[in-house]
Amino acid sequence: MNKLIFETEPTKEKIQIPDELIFGKTFTTHVLEMDYDSEKGGWQDAIIKKHENISLSPAALVFHYGQAIFEGLKAYKQIDGKIVLFRPTKNLERLNRSAEKMCIPQVNIDFVMEGLIELINVDRDWIPNKPGHSLYIRPVMFATDPMLGVKAGEKYKFLILLSPVGPYYPGGFKPVPIMVTDKYVRAVRGGVGDCKTAGNYAASLYAQREAKKLGFAQVLYLDGLQQKYIEEVGTMNMFVQFKNEVATPRLSGTILPGITRMSVLEILKDWGYNVSERDIELKEIIDAYNNGNLVELFGTGTAAVISSISKLKYGETEIMFSDDHAGELGTKLYEALTDIQYGKSEDKFGWNVIVK
Ligand SMILES: *Cc1c(COP(=O)(O)O)cnc(C)c1O
């Protein structure tokens, strides 16, 4: 049985959280680190230690062949001061699914959860208690063997980093313009589109840069085979509200099974909406828009929670919503989710896990 070791010292200086937090740039004092070595029987003890640079061989497998996976979740300081994690087990289960597909060893979910809770507790003063702020949690795991052969590693490092973050939309909940691409694809059947693996994000940068140049916030990808069905946006799952249905692409193996997506589906069902997970043709969205059957579009993901969409552009076709007012359903969902996270409403689904 592995142990959790604390290499921490009482913090001498008072923690200063910057007023202007740029996403993912500020880190807390500590990390959780756990090494895997097949020659030493697998996972070693986990250590809560100072956040500092690590040393790796230039030959470390991860630099050459990209065996790296990660997760993203948040801890919130609630209005009564309680600290909670939002559905963290779902993230660790997904981490293990990504691990399996990338030939990376799986972690013991209960042990990592215990370590995560202790880590957050050690760095609890780093959690901002301003409205819309939270602590972003980034577990990451990669192959470290100093070895140039193309093969799965025998040695891995698992780290959990913590980063205090401000509201995703500092100017208020604003809708964003999205560009549909049929020039680039994100994932194909039988690939790794459903894993949070580093290479997927490296591969998305080029299309993202092109969209940025044209004034769009993100790219909406179509399926990799026929480029007919919508898949997902950058790092968000996509929802389409038609007059009589709220639909989202089904989990076919090419999109990331988002935990916000899953939560939104559960809330919508609870509210009595007709929801479906199915194939959605881009043409169906354009036709619905032209017929007055399209109500709104939004994306879901941990970082922004809900991103309302102001405009969807596909070639010469433009689907226009309001530039400055987020859609009604997206706003309602944003409030419902964040109210649960910040403890402003009852957690009736039992999603929050309390960090002592
Ligand atoms: C992380 C991610 C999402 C959103 O998942 P959540 O669990 O809701 O944060 C969606 N798409 C991609 C490609 C992602 O990496």
Side-chain angles (χ1 to χ4, degrees):
M1 196 55 199
N2 288 325
K3 291 190 303 290
L4 180 63
I5 298 166
F6 291 81
E7 269 182 20
T8 61
E9 284 167 36
T11 320
K12 288 178 209 91
E13 289 129 50
K14 193 165 167 355
I15 289 165
Q16 279 290 348
I17 306 174
D19 278 337
E20 295 280 318
L21 286 165
I22 298 163
F23 183 86
K25 281 221 169 172
T26 305
F27 296 100
T28 67
T29 320
H30 298 94
V31 296
L32 179 140
E33 184 183 83
M34 185 167 74
D35 286 332
Y36 179 96
D37 188 339
S38 64
E39 282 169 18
K40 295 183 189 160
W43 286 113
Q44 306 298 299
D45 290 341
I47 311 171
I48 290 178
K49 55 187 270 192
K50 203 168 153 205
H51 178 123
E52 60 189 0
N53 290 350
I54 56 170
S55 170
L56 291 176
S57 161
L61 273 180
V62 62
F63 298 138
H64 304 270
Y65 310 120
Q67 244 190 321
I69 56 173
F70 65 93
E71 266 304 323
L73 65 157
K74 282 176 174 174
Y76 298 87
K77 195 168 271 176
Q78 297 196 325
I79 44 180
D80 62 358
K82 212 187 296 151
I83 295 165
V84 302
L85 290 159
F86 185 71
R87 312 190 81 176
T89 311
K90 297 284 176 211
N91 290 88
L92 296 181
E93 287 167 359
R94 188 171 65 191
L95 179 79
N96 272 349
R97 287 200 303 275
S98 297
E100 165 80 23
K101 233 173 170 179
M102 302 306 294
C103 295
I104 291 174
Q106 299 195 340
V107 297
N108 178 320
I109 291 180
D110 293 336
F111 182 60
V112 169
M113 184 68 75
E114 186 193 318
L116 171 61
I117 286 175
E118 293 295 343
L119 174 67
I120 293 171
N121 201 40
V122 165
D123 280 348
R124 61 188 299 136
D125 292 340
W126 276 102
I127 311 179
N129 49 14
K130 286 191 264 178
H133 287 59
S134 58
L135 186 71
Y136 185 76
I137 302 162
R138 167 55 57 88
V140 60
M141 187 173 359
F142 47 85
T144 57
D145 313 45
M147 223 305 287
L148 294 183
V150 180
K151 67 176 206 74
E154 302 285 338
K155 295 178 172 59
Y156 294 85
K157 192 175 280 299
F158 173 73
L159 292 161
I160 303 179
L161 326 181
L162 304 178
S163 172
V165 294
Y168 198 82
Y169 296 106
F173 188 51
K174 274 270 169 78
V176 293
I178 304 280
M179 189 182 111
V180 183
T181 180
D182 59 8
K183 199 160 145 200
Y184 307 107
V185 296
R186 198 192 83 90
V188 287
R189 193 170 66 201
V192 292
D194 57 351
C195 298
K196 264 185 141 60
T197 184
N200 283 345
Y201 304 86
S204 73
L205 299 176
Y206 195 69
Q208 172 70 17
R209 179 186 282 175
E210 237 178 60
K212 272 264 155 71
K213 270 191 207 148
L214 297 169
F216 294 87
Q218 298 242 23
V219 177
L220 170 64
Y221 290 98
L222 301 173
D223 73 278
L225 287 178
Q226 307 175 70
Q227 303 208 272
K228 201 166 144 186
Y229 302 99
I230 62 160
E231 293 233 308
E232 63 180 321
V233 174
T235 54
M236 288 190 300
N237 294 113
M238 188 61 189
F239 279 78
V240 184
Q241 187 186 18
F242 297 105
K243 276 240 167 89
N244 300 310
E245 180 197 15
V246 185
T248 190
R250 73 190 167 93
L251 301 178
S252 58
T254 55
I255 65 170
L256 207 283
I259 291 152
T260 319
R261 171 189 181 278
M262 180 194 293
S263 308
V264 161
L265 285 170
E266 288 171 47
I267 292 176
L268 287 174
K269 279 180 201 159
D270 183 57
W271 285 348
Y273 280 84
N274 172 29
V275 290
S276 46
E277 296 172 74
R278 62 173 177 87
D279 292 333
I280 307 167
E281 263 190 65
L282 178 63
K283 185 172 178 303
E284 183 186 350
I285 299 177
I286 297 168
D287 288 348
Y289 177 67
N290 291 330
N291 300 335
N293 268 325
L294 184 69
V295 185
E296 71 181 79
L297 301 171
F298 57 88
T300 65
T302 296
V305 187
I306 303 284
S307 257
S308 188
I309 294 172
S310 59
K311 169 163 106 177
L312 192 71
K313 188 170 162 69
Y314 175 61
E316 295 305 303
T317 309
E318 281 194 335
I319 293 181
M320 305 285 290
F321 298 100
S322 168
D323 272 342
D324 45 33
H325 290 291
E328 203 177 303
L329 186 61
T331 307
K332 235 171 86 176
L333 284 163
Y334 177 81
E335 281 165 6
L337 275 165
T338 53
D339 281 356
I340 292 173
Q341 290 161 342
Y342 289 99
K344 290 185 197 160
S345 68
E346 187 209 343
D347 176 20
K348 65 184 240 183
F349 301 98
W351 286 339
N352 293 327
V353 170
I354 298 168
V355 181
K356 40 184 147 182

